[in-house]
Amino acid sequence: MGKIMSKLKKQFISNIPYYVLFFILLFIHIQLNVSTGDDVNFAIRAKSMTFTDFNIYKYYNWSSRQLIESVLYFISVHSHVWMLLNSLVITIIAKLIEAIFCNHTIKMKILCCIGTLIYPLIDMSSAGWMATTINYYWPLGAILINLYYLKKANNFIKLKWYEYIISSIALLFAANQEQVFAILLGTYFFYIIYCFINKRKISFFVILNIVLIIASGTYIFTCPGNWVRKKQEIKNWFPDFGTLSFFRKIEIGISSTVYPILFKNNVPMLFLSSTLLIIINTFKNSLVKASTMIIFVMTLVFGVLGKYLVDLYPNISFLYSILGKYGILSLSNLKSFVPYIMFLIEFITLLIIILFLIKDNRKNIDIFIILLIGFGSRFMLCFSPTVWVSGNRTALFFYFSMIIASCLLISRYHHRIKNLDYFMAIFGVFAFCNIINCLV
């Protein structure tokens, strides 16, 4: 009995950062107004329609997200249940980032909590707090649950029967969201390549997940409601969307994805660039050091300090207003090429850094894959007429890819970093400010 109590006490102490995170999140959620946007619409339907009628209506007239919206159907009329569960989901996300990608020191647990808190939670209010979080945060948590079991299977740990069930349910729930379906497709595509290169047998667990992903994709693309919704959204939000060329849509995808990480107050990008800075500065390669400094300075100066920069140099204000309905590039406007030159500089310097890290440690190819899949999850919105009206919430997966990549790199190179405490303190302040921003 004494040994059991000692073990429980040790586990409790080691997970204190997550208990603190949960209560911080719960405090935030209690203050939120959950009577706006789609929260109201779902509550009305939950009160006026049966569960079966609701799902049939949605399937034929609006969406293939039956699993996600079924949860929303029940929770929309119980806001206090959502406050508790959503706080728990976000806490689990932080815990799973540590469990999957990091070593398990108390410092890494705190860092994963800070990383989770620097994501601009206010973006989740855009379509109503309950509707948005359940459509974005919850699928993110479900992805990580599935990846947790994938990691166990990859390490030749035999999964129990109920773990197959939990993982499968998590995958089906996650893949019910179109962006997350694409993320899972990309993740398992790269994992199969990994197995092929390393001559590893593809396990039953992986085959099962691939079958479920394909089934989810088939359901999404054959759902009549998705096509009805697309026609309606083109009419409402982007009437000439169908006339855009393929290359114009690609340009919209690039500009709408990259522009906010360079010309907005993007803390996840600052988190990533700062992580690269404190790690690369422990090496002696001058080119890579310069590349890291370029990314960090561009993110800080043009993004976080952008407003002050315009006050100093008013003639560059065009950089902060050039993004429009049709993207940025225009052959008749030479100024439109300036942001793309800056995008190219950022891309090249980031590529130099990643290639250097891969050369230092082959495992770092996972950093490239995480960021690539994250970028792709936001870029794919270029094929949707809601690319603009959906707002910043669709970038959640991209921003969390930056947070995950940062935590993974710090975990991998923590022995080389001398000023990690200062780094954590600085971003702890950003996390605190993010909390205040949600409460005011």
Side-chain angles (χ1 to χ4, degrees):
M1 182 63 73
K3 289 183 179 180
I4 294 173
M5 292 302 296
S6 177
K7 185 178 180 181
L8 289 173
K9 183 180 179 180
K10 187 177 180 181
Q11 287 182 345
F12 176 83
I13 293 172
S14 68
N15 286 309
I16 282 177
Y18 299 116
Y19 304 138
V20 173
L21 174 62
F22 172 76
F23 285 111
I24 289 172
L25 289 167
L26 187 59
F27 176 74
I28 294 171
H29 281 68
I30 290 171
Q31 318 299 319
L32 301 178
N33 178 11
V34 292
S35 300
T36 61
D38 287 342
D39 293 347
V40 177
N41 296 331
F42 275 95
I44 291 171
R45 291 190 185 278
K47 292 175 182 178
S48 61
M49 302 175 72
T50 67
F51 178 70
T52 303
D53 289 343
F54 170 81
N55 276 297
I56 291 173
Y57 172 81
K58 283 286 186 175
Y59 177 77
Y60 284 105
N61 296 281
W62 198 247
S63 173
S64 60
R65 298 182 186 178
Q66 270 64 61
L67 293 178
I68 293 171
E69 293 190 344
S70 291
V71 173
L72 192 49
Y73 173 89
F74 290 109
I75 288 185
S76 61
V77 291
H78 301 287
S79 59
H80 288 91
V81 174
W82 168 80
M83 291 173 186
L84 183 67
L85 291 180
N86 201 59
S87 301
L88 183 62
V89 166
I90 299 173
T91 303
I92 290 172
I93 287 170
K95 174 61 181 175
L96 287 171
I97 291 173
E98 175 242 322
I100 300 168
F101 300 102
C102 305
N103 58 52
H104 309 305
T105 63
I106 191 72
K107 191 169 287 189
M108 284 310 305
K109 293 174 191 285
I110 295 171
L111 183 67
C112 289
C113 291
I114 291 172
T116 303
L117 282 175
I118 65 169
Y119 172 78
L121 186 61
I122 198 71
D123 289 351
M124 292 290 103
S125 66
S126 56
W129 282 104
M130 288 190 285
T132 311
T133 53
I134 292 173
N135 273 278
Y136 289 91
Y137 260 122
W138 291 34
L140 173 61
I143 295 176
L144 293 173
I145 290 171
N146 183 263
L147 291 183
Y148 174 75
Y149 289 115
L150 176 62
K151 181 180 179 180
K152 289 184 72 173
N154 183 64
N155 291 337
F156 302 106
I157 299 173
K158 187 177 180 180
L159 299 181
K160 298 178 175 64
W161 64 269
Y162 61 83
E163 292 179 311
Y164 279 97
I165 295 174
I166 293 170
S167 175
S168 297
I169 292 173
L171 185 144
L172 288 170
F173 183 85
N176 201 221
Q177 210 267 25
E178 299 80 11
Q179 283 178 276
V180 184
F181 161 73
I183 291 171
L184 286 165
L185 199 64
T187 300
Y188 278 87
F189 170 76
F190 282 112
Y191 185 75
I192 289 171
I193 292 176
Y194 161 80
C195 290
F196 179 77
I197 292 173
N198 292 278
K199 298 179 180 178
R200 295 184 58 158
K201 182 181 178 181
I202 297 175
S203 66
F204 170 75
F205 176 81
V206 174
I207 294 172
L208 174 62
N209 283 320
I210 291 171
V211 169
L212 294 176
I213 291 168
I214 293 171
S216 297
T218 303
Y219 186 77
I220 289 170
F221 288 109
T222 59
C223 174
N226 283 337
W227 302 104
V228 172
R229 180 179 184 177
K230 186 172 183 179
K231 289 179 182 178
Q232 188 63 42
E233 287 178 333
I234 289 174
K235 181 181 178 181
N236 291 342
W237 309 114
F238 212 144
D240 54 347
F241 183 78
T243 67
L244 300 180
S245 69
F246 175 78
F247 292 104
R248 176 52 62 184
K249 290 178 180 178
I250 294 297
E251 197 276 318
I252 288 175
I254 295 172
S255 58
S256 65
T257 303
V258 181
Y259 186 89
I261 69 174
L262 185 55
F263 296 109
K264 299 287 186 181
N265 296 323
N266 198 300
V267 180
M269 182 61 192
L270 185 64
F271 191 61
L272 175 62
S273 60
S274 301
T275 297
L276 295 172
L277 185 69
I278 62 173
I279 290 172
I280 296 300
N281 274 342
T282 65
F283 292 92
K284 295 181 179 180
N285 190 303
S286 300
L287 174 63
V288 183
K289 280 187 174 182
S291 298
T292 311
M293 185 57 71
I294 288 170
I295 286 185
F296 174 75
V297 170
M298 288 179 71
T299 303
L300 183 65
V301 174
F302 291 100
V304 178
L305 303 176
K307 291 181 181 179
Y308 304 102
L309 191 67
V310 171
D311 289 339
L312 286 171
Y313 306 104
N315 288 336
I316 69 166
S317 61
F318 74 92
L319 290 171
Y320 297 90
S321 59
I322 200 167
L323 181 64
K325 181 180 179 181
Y326 302 104
I328 293 175
L329 276 181
S330 173
L331 296 177
S332 61
N333 182 7
L334 290 178
K335 287 183 179 180
S336 70
F337 287 88
V338 176
Y340 265 87
I341 293 171
M342 297 174 72
F343 295 166
L344 187 61
I345 292 171
E346 191 168 49
F347 172 74
I348 291 172
T349 51
L350 183 59
L351 189 61
I352 290 171
I353 296 165
I354 290 175
L355 290 175
F356 173 80
L357 290 171
I358 292 172
K359 184 180 178 182
D360 177 65
N361 184 344
R362 276 187 61 195
K363 288 183 179 180
N364 285 328
I365 196 168
D366 54 12
I367 302 298
F368 173 75
I369 293 170
I370 290 168
L371 294 175
L372 179 65
I373 291 175
F375 172 84
S377 72
R378 178 56 185 79
F379 170 80
M380 65 181 283
L381 267 291
C382 68
F383 300 109
S384 169
T386 61
V387 59
W388 301 116
V389 74
S390 293
N392 295 329
R393 63 180 181 267
T394 55
L396 176 136
F397 308 108
F398 183 28
Y399 294 166
F400 262 93
S401 74
M402 298 179 193
I403 293 166
I404 291 170
S406 301
C407 291
L408 175 54
L409 278 170
I410 290 172
S411 177
R412 201 165 275 168
Y413 288 97
H414 69 279
H415 59 285
R416 300 182 67 107
I417 303 171
K418 296 179 180 178
N419 50 0
L420 183 57
D421 291 341
Y422 296 108
F423 174 89
M424 292 171 65
I426 291 169
F427 282 97
V429 172
F430 277 105
F432 177 75
C433 292
N434 189 31
I435 294 168
I436 300 300
N437 191 48
C438 291
L439 297 176
V440 176

